[in-house]
Amino acid sequence: MSSENPKDLVPMFFTNTAKSYDKIVYWTTFGKDNVWKNKILEHLSTEKTVLDLACGTGILTKQIADKIPQAKIIGLDITENYIEKAKEKLKSYQNISFVNQDAEKLNLGKKFDCITASYLPKYCISDVLVKNCIAHLNNGGKIILHDFTYPKNKFVRKMWNFYFNILYLVGFFVPNWKKVFVSLPYLIRTTDWITAYENTMKNNGLKVYKQDLTFGTSSIIVGTKII
Ligand SMILES: C[S@@+](CC[C@H](N)C(=O)[O-])C[C@H]1O[C@@H](n2cnc3c(N)ncnc32)[C@H](O)[C@@H]1O
């Protein structure tokens, strides 16, 4: 169930799940995924260039393009099947392009006004990801990271654990998602991505803002590159 390196889980979770991802993320979060992505969007307004790391099937990428249609947006993901799905879904958007690349080896040769990532931080080493992002960020630009967190409140924790026990059983009926439903709760319980990214951002001179969402079941951290 456990894994030495969270990155090893990425091919296990994502190689065969692109087709059903949009429905699964909607239903398993009771629609909260959409609420959380709207919270990410609240931090965006007049950016001209946006890089959406770990764009997956392009759910957030599309929402960014709809909110700021004048922006040029790149969606980037390590998993080819997800990028293919995103390309197919968003082919009518002239201002979105896609790159198949590892965010921990980010090398795009250009800078952005904003870099977003939803559900990526827990798979990466904070020092590597933040430094890569800073190297691709214009002065005054923002890095907006979002991911699941293990709730601190005891009652919410009980409900959270109960819910993941149900998902564990559901996994027997949706084989492609079984590994995710079995291993994801352990990863969320053991990761302290928020503290790691907060410290790394501060150590690298970024101004940091944190936001807990839905009883502490997910969080957003925004790092601004001060001019
Ligand atoms: C749960 S999906 C999230 C997709 C999208 N951000 C969303 O919110 O719907 C996680 C995505 O992270 C991608 N991913 C994981 N590690 C990555 C890395 N090092 N570089 C780029 N993408 C990565 C996976 O391929 C997968 O598509």
Side-chain angles (χ1 to χ4, degrees):
M1 231 205 263
S2 69
S3 166
E4 285 298 306
N5 181 358
K7 197 167 185 171
D8 296 341
L9 294 169
V10 172
M12 230 168 86
F13 284 4
F14 299 112
T15 304
N16 293 313
T17 50
K19 274 190 189 157
S20 49
Y21 176 80
D22 290 13
K23 282 199 180 97
I24 291 284
V25 77
Y26 181 82
W27 288 112
T28 54
T29 63
F30 304 105
K32 289 293 172 201
D33 176 63
N34 201 35
V35 174
W36 298 335
K37 285 189 167 56
N38 279 323
K39 291 286 176 194
I40 298 173
L41 293 176
E42 283 177 11
H43 295 279
L44 291 159
S45 55
T46 55
E47 286 75 8
K48 292 192 176 76
T49 49
V50 181
L51 171 62
D52 184 27
L53 295 176
C55 66
T57 60
I59 298 177
L60 178 63
T61 328
K62 175 183 181 298
Q63 290 170 333
I64 295 168
D66 290 338
K67 172 152 186 187
I68 36 174
Q70 75 281 5
K72 285 222 174 311
I73 301 153
I74 294 183
L76 177 145
D77 202 284
I78 199 171
T79 309
E80 216 175 327
N81 290 342
Y82 272 75
I83 283 278
E84 288 311 314
K85 180 82 186 166
K87 274 187 188 162
E88 179 194 315
K89 272 171 55 184
L90 305 182
K91 57 182 174 230
S92 63
Y93 285 75
Q94 304 295 317
N95 56 337
I96 304 179
S97 55
F98 292 97
V99 176
N100 186 197
Q101 198 175 96
D102 181 350
E104 290 192 307
K105 296 179 183 156
L106 195 63
N107 185 11
L108 296 175
K110 53 176 108 171
K111 294 192 176 192
F112 299 83
D113 294 335
C114 182
I115 300 177
T116 55
S118 182
Y119 305 123
L120 174 68
K122 65 185 173 304
Y123 299 113
C124 292
I125 299 165
S126 62
D127 203 46
V128 176
L129 191 67
V130 167
K131 281 185 176 150
N132 283 350
C133 287
I134 290 173
H136 285 78
L137 202 62
N138 287 322
N139 284 338
K142 283 177 199 164
I143 305 167
I144 308 172
L145 304 178
H146 164 251
D147 214 327
F148 292 114
T149 42
Y150 190 42
K152 290 193 176 73
N153 177 283
K154 274 189 189 161
F155 175 73
V156 182
R157 262 190 189 185
K158 274 207 169 129
M159 299 302 289
W160 189 97
N161 283 308
F162 176 69
Y163 177 57
F164 270 101
N165 284 338
I166 294 174
L167 276 189
Y168 178 91
L169 298 175
V170 172
F172 287 93
F173 302 95
V174 267
N176 285 358
W177 284 92
K178 187 162 181 257
K179 283 176 186 160
V180 179
F181 295 161
V182 169
S183 302
L184 186 62
Y186 177 83
L187 177 60
I188 299 170
R189 265 187 227 112
T190 52
T191 179
D192 193 8
W193 70 270
I194 270 284
T195 309
Y197 282 87
E198 181 180 13
N199 290 339
T200 310
M201 283 181 175
K202 283 183 177 164
N203 290 341
N204 283 278
L206 300 183
K207 197 178 98 198
V208 176
Y209 168 78
K210 281 189 309 178
Q211 197 175 12
D212 283 343
L213 305 169
T214 320
F215 307 111
T217 54
S218 88
S219 294
I220 288 175
I221 182 162
V222 182
T224 307
K225 192 173 175 180
I226 305 158
I227 304 168

